[in-house]
Amino acid sequence: MSAESGADRHSRMLLTGYFLGLGAIMAVWGARMPAVQQAAHLSTGGLALVLLAAAVGMVAGLQLGGRCARPERLPTLLTTGSLALTGCLVLVGQGESLSALLAAALAFGLAHGILDVAANTAAVRCQNAFGRPIMSGLHAAYSLGALTGAALAALTAHAAHSALFTATGTLLAGAVVAAVPLTRSLSGSDRPTIHADADKLPTLASPGKLWLLAALAAACLLGEGAAADWAAVHLHTLGAPTAASATAFALYSAAMAAGRLTGDRLTAAFGAPTVVRAGAVLAAAGLTIGVAGASAPLALTGWAVFGLGLSTTVPSLITAAGASGAKAVATVTATGYLGLLAGPALIGALASATTLPTALLLPALLAAAVAALAHHALENTTP
């Protein structure tokens, strides 16, 4: 039995589970945040402080994870980061004051950042061991986990959020503990190069190219933040009923998951630069048509095409950064999340100065920029 069919496959299954769990936790956290606000009697400003604390903790965790994510430490970081994240989710569910929620959210963000870097760094090394693209499929697991978590939150909308947070945290923590023996034997930790011909090995990204990868990640994740916070609002302004408006982000997410499920095969066949460039062109065109069409059906289609087009970009950018190590992964991821966090506010400001459809052209323009720069950013940095 080949290494790929044995230990490497077990590692891939393990990492798929980690990405699924991370997606589910983040969806449950986001979907029930209004209930957290109500239980703690927070004002809008108070909730914003809690979300800011989580963001600050996440950026700090990404940087800390980048410094700590050496190959031999990855199993420990995956286990401890996951257990800390699930524990913090439970604490957030129990928080009944602003101070308690700020502390829990800060710790939640810190654990999230550490786990994010560890999972993506381990995923790059596992992909190296396979010698073919698997990163998009692992990120598809995150998307599917997020869809599952969102559905679970919707189904339990009338139950106490504290019960949902406790149940989710306890269940996933149990899965992490059960997976400890497999996590300890994570393969690929001693094999930093792919099973490929020497002329196909990725090269280290220069500092300039690394920051270009980071900027493109921020551009892509700004689009994801726009979809999460403004897609439903966009549909509502077009006169769509509440149910139809709520499906906009779900269609975006489903299309992104579908694209990621096929992304590895496309990347293996055509190469990451070509796939990312084609996807970014598709994303830019889809959102532009969806916004300019000024009709609910076109808008729903536009958001779905936007998600499909962006589906392979972030996995490919992280893969390219992974050739330069965990710190590079942390840099690209942290910068990308800044785009995710700042994007909705920036679009809101632009919408106030102009109109929402005009403001929503920003993610389309950034997708076009990704298409223009993808080849330069990814050339010789991905297998």
Side-chain angles (χ1 to χ4, degrees):
M1 180 177 291
S2 67
E4 179 177 324
S5 62
D8 293 337
R9 289 186 178 179
H10 289 156
S11 295
R12 183 181 183 180
M13 291 175 59
L14 173 73
L15 291 172
T16 297
Y18 276 106
F19 277 96
L20 275 167
L22 182 56
I25 285 178
M26 297 312 299
V28 167
W29 151 277
R32 296 306 302 272
M33 198 49 57
V36 173
Q37 178 185 13
Q38 184 178 11
H41 306 290
L42 299 180
S43 64
T44 301
L47 179 60
L49 286 175
V50 171
L51 295 176
L52 178 62
V56 170
M58 181 180 65
V59 173
L62 289 168
Q63 297 303 317
L64 179 60
R67 289 194 293 268
C68 297
R70 297 176 182 175
E72 67 276 9
R73 294 178 178 174
L74 287 176
T76 299
L77 288 176
L78 285 169
T79 299
T80 57
S82 298
L83 292 177
L85 188 66
T86 55
C88 290
L89 181 67
V90 175
L91 290 177
V92 170
Q94 302 300 320
E96 296 182 351
S97 67
L98 177 59
S99 58
L101 285 173
L102 285 174
L106 183 67
F108 181 91
L110 185 67
H112 177 201
I114 292 173
L115 179 58
D116 196 290
V117 171
N120 277 296
T121 302
V124 169
R125 298 186 69 81
C126 186
Q127 179 171 255
N128 289 344
F130 266 80
R132 59 182 174 83
I134 65 168
M135 181 69 81
S136 186
L138 292 174
H139 279 247
Y142 178 93
S143 297
L144 293 173
L147 286 172
T148 302
L152 180 62
L155 290 172
T156 59
H158 297 294
H161 73 280
S162 57
L164 175 61
F165 284 16
T166 299
T168 302
T170 302
L171 178 64
L172 292 179
V176 170
V177 172
V180 165
L182 185 58
T183 304
R184 286 178 177 172
S185 62
L186 189 68
S187 71
S189 61
D190 58 345
R191 283 173 291 169
T193 57
I194 61 174
H195 302 324
D197 296 334
D199 60 351
K200 294 182 180 180
L201 292 176
T203 58
L204 299 181
S206 65
K209 185 167 287 190
L210 178 62
W211 283 110
L212 177 58
L213 292 170
L216 295 186
C220 295
L221 288 175
L222 183 148
E224 184 165 338
D229 287 7
W230 288 104
V233 178
H234 177 219
L235 266 293
H236 182 72
T237 62
L238 296 175
T242 302
S245 298
T247 63
F249 183 62
L251 284 174
Y252 167 90
S253 301
M256 177 166 282
R260 287 176 170 176
L261 287 172
T262 59
D264 290 327
R265 289 191 292 274
L266 292 174
T267 300
F270 301 105
T274 299
V275 173
V276 169
R277 182 167 51 193
V281 168
L282 181 66
L287 186 57
T288 299
I289 293 172
V291 170
S295 73
L298 273 178
L300 285 171
T301 302
W303 284 111
V305 172
F306 187 60
L308 180 65
L310 289 184
S311 60
T312 62
T313 54
V314 172
S316 295
L317 294 170
I318 291 176
T319 293
S324 300
K327 288 185 178 180
V329 171
T331 297
V332 170
T333 306
T335 307
Y337 275 119
L338 290 178
L340 178 69
L341 296 170
L346 179 58
I347 289 173
L350 289 174
S352 297
T354 56
T355 64
L356 180 57
T358 300
L360 289 175
L361 290 176
L362 175 62
L365 289 173
L366 290 176
V370 171
L373 297 171
H375 184 77
H376 178 67
L378 296 171
E379 186 181 16
N380 298 326
T381 58
T382 52

